[in-house]
Amino acid sequence: MSNVAGAQHERPCVLLVGALDTKGPEFEFLRSEGLRLGCDVLLLDVGVLGAPAVLADFPREAVADAAGAELGALVSTGDRSVAVSAMARGAARLAAALADEGRIDGVIGAGGSNAAYVMARVSERLDVGFPKVLVSTMASGDTARYVGSTDLTMMNSVVDVNGLNRVTRSVLGNAIHAVVGMVTSRVPDDGTDRPVAAISMFGVTTPCASRIASTLDAAGLEPLSFHANGAGGRSLEALAGSGAIQVVVDMTTTELADELFGGVCSAGPDRLTAAGRLGVPQVVSLGALDMINFGAAAALPEHLRGRLWHEHNPEVTLVRTNAEECAELGGVLAARLNAALGPRTVVVPARGFSALSVPGEPFQDPHADRALVDALLGALDDDVTSVVLDVDINDPLVADAMSRATLSLMEEARV
């Protein structure tokens, strides 16, 4: 998908997505402000209850139809969840089509949890960089399930979006001004079309990631760095799965440890699979597999309090993976690499997987490290290239080996 903003119209156009039965005055206000600011505005109605309070350019019947459903049937079921799910699906398809055709330049939604769910589905269908804003009370809590791997901007409405008052006027006004600013002041494309390299990194693997990024940039690639904190890994997988990435340099695979052993930085069970499924070249390493991530030390699970742990900062506590866990990680990593369809290389830093497991640092444990390396190398298929280096992951030799392997695999794959 490639959303081409502003290609088919002279004035920028903003799509408003909302339930016009319960949020009519609010969306009329957004429309009026958008028009006043010099934008065209289109309304898309996802309401399923009462009659719409304002007329929509895309009425609810059309939205349901885009989802492959019939509005009357959705209403007659009496199942709000089924109806909202269908309307979200239809809204996402219509918004993506309008963006691809160049008919809209940005999207804004407003409301409660249903609006947040709808905008999350819409955002998933729009490119990174395409303006998308949601005003909702849900912005004050855990936003991960709405933002996901997108660049959705969320604004807390402070009070519920239930009528116009001094608070909602101010917040909604800021939101429409923000979207209009985004669509009228887009950062121009740099005009290059370089192959994209995804690099995973963590604070304790930054020297390696930074050197790789610098080397690949100089070689003509465009490096994108992903923070391996769960959300970063999900974003990497989503972009790799969409075909937007030409090579993955997965040097920090720590999210596997959190998924297996209950840490807070899990990227889900599908981590390290999207590139392999599409045959995208991969260069992989063991970055930060010496740790499981948790929150503040006081919240460390009771069964782990007797383990070796380190307070990274007041909000992040790291537990050292032991030999048994490391062996399991090695097996899982090998299985993911074996299943991949494209060319892949694994670079093994035998002397430590992060800045914390080198000599003199709290997580130094050669026995646990060896358990991981042995399990990994013992389970790899013959067509997976392995490079073992007798240094830690932040030694320049590792970054250089991964960079060389990346460029070699891309040449092999003729990317």
Side-chain angles (χ1 to χ4, degrees):
M1 178 178 64
S2 179
N3 305 143
V4 184
Q8 303 297 324
H9 47 272
E10 294 182 1
R11 294 189 353 145
C13 183
V14 176
L15 178 68
L16 305 181
V17 177
L20 300 184
D21 50 357
T22 60
K23 302 290 184 280
E26 296 89 339
F27 277 91
E28 185 57 52
F29 172 78
L30 287 169
R31 174 162 60 182
S32 297
E33 280 297 293
L35 292 171
R36 186 178 69 81
L37 293 169
C39 284
D40 290 332
V41 180
L42 297 174
L43 265 64
L44 185 152
D45 186 9
V46 294
V48 292
L49 297 176
V54 296
L55 294 178
D57 299 280
F58 298 92
R60 58 188 61 186
E61 292 82 4
V63 178
D65 184 65
E70 195 273 322
L71 183 66
L74 291 176
V75 174
S76 66
T77 65
D79 191 325
R80 187 185 185 94
S81 176
V82 170
V84 170
S85 178
M87 298 302 278
R89 190 165 63 250
R93 290 175 179 170
L94 287 173
L98 290 169
D100 289 342
E101 294 165 7
R103 295 176 58 190
I104 60 171
D105 303 281
V107 181
I108 183 170
S113 60
N114 285 337
Y117 176 82
V118 170
M119 274 300 294
R121 305 291 80 77
V122 169
S123 296
E124 290 169 350
R125 297 290 299 271
L126 299 173
D127 287 350
V128 172
F130 191 93
K132 50 189 84 73
V133 172
L134 168 68
V135 179
S136 176
T137 51
M138 306 310 292
S140 65
D142 180 3
T143 62
R145 62 188 182 275
Y146 305 120
V147 175
S149 58
T150 76
D151 62 336
L152 173 65
T153 298
M154 294 185 67
M155 296 178 63
N156 182 21
S157 60
V158 183
V159 299
D160 208 349
V161 183
N162 184 32
L164 293 173
N165 52 59
R166 66 182 65 186
V167 175
T168 54
R169 283 179 181 272
S170 177
V171 176
L172 290 171
N174 284 342
I176 189 65
H177 277 251
V179 173
V180 171
M182 293 178 190
V183 303
T184 57
S185 304
R186 300 288 295 272
V187 175
D189 194 288
D190 63 6
T192 64
D193 190 24
R194 299 188 294 167
V196 175
I199 304 170
S200 56
M201 65 179 290
F202 227 27
V204 290
T205 63
T206 295
C208 183
S210 296
R211 187 176 177 92
I212 292 171
S214 178
T215 301
L216 297 183
D217 183 53
L221 280 68
E222 184 171 10
L224 304 181
S225 296
F226 294 83
H227 191 198
N229 62 351
R234 289 191 293 273
S235 294
L236 190 161
E237 295 295 318
L239 285 177
S242 73
I245 291 172
Q246 282 69 59
V247 63
V248 173
V249 191
D250 222 339
M251 54 83 55
T252 305
T253 46
T254 186
E255 289 155 318
L256 294 177
D258 284 64
E259 171 64 18
L260 290 177
F261 309 123
V264 298
C265 289
S266 167
D270 296 327
R271 183 70 174 89
L272 213 75
T273 62
R277 186 173 64 251
L278 294 184
V280 175
Q282 298 176 86
V283 180
V284 177
S285 192
L286 316 182
L289 286 177
D290 53 352
M291 62 188 65
I292 314 165
N293 294 267
F294 293 93
L300 194 66
E302 189 64 34
H303 72 282
L304 295 175
R305 291 191 172 275
R307 295 275 295 276
L308 175 60
W309 58 273
H310 171 73
E311 188 175 76
H312 186 62
N313 63 48
E315 297 298 327
V316 177
T317 305
L318 311 172
V319 174
R320 209 322 176 168
T321 47
N322 59 31
E324 181 181 359
E325 291 163 343
C326 281
E328 185 175 349
L329 283 167
V332 169
L333 190 55
R336 306 270 166 108
L337 288 168
N338 291 341
L341 300 179
R344 59 267 195 232
T345 295
V346 59
V347 177
V348 177
R351 293 285 182 174
F353 309 148
S354 81
L356 291 178
S357 55
V358 298
E361 294 299 325
F363 281 0
Q364 184 186 15
D365 187 344
H367 175 63
D369 290 351
R370 175 51 57 185
L372 198 159
V373 173
D374 288 347
L376 170 65
L377 297 179
L380 283 177
D381 288 346
D382 292 341
D383 64 336
V384 181
T385 301
S386 60
V387 178
V388 181
L389 300 172
D390 195 29
V391 295
D392 70 87
I393 197 162
N394 287 317
D395 190 290
L397 289 175
V398 174
D400 292 346
M402 297 194 75
S403 298
R404 286 193 301 271
T406 299
L407 297 174
S408 176
L409 290 188
M410 291 190 69
E411 180 63 27
E412 178 184 334
R414 297 184 180 181
V415 175

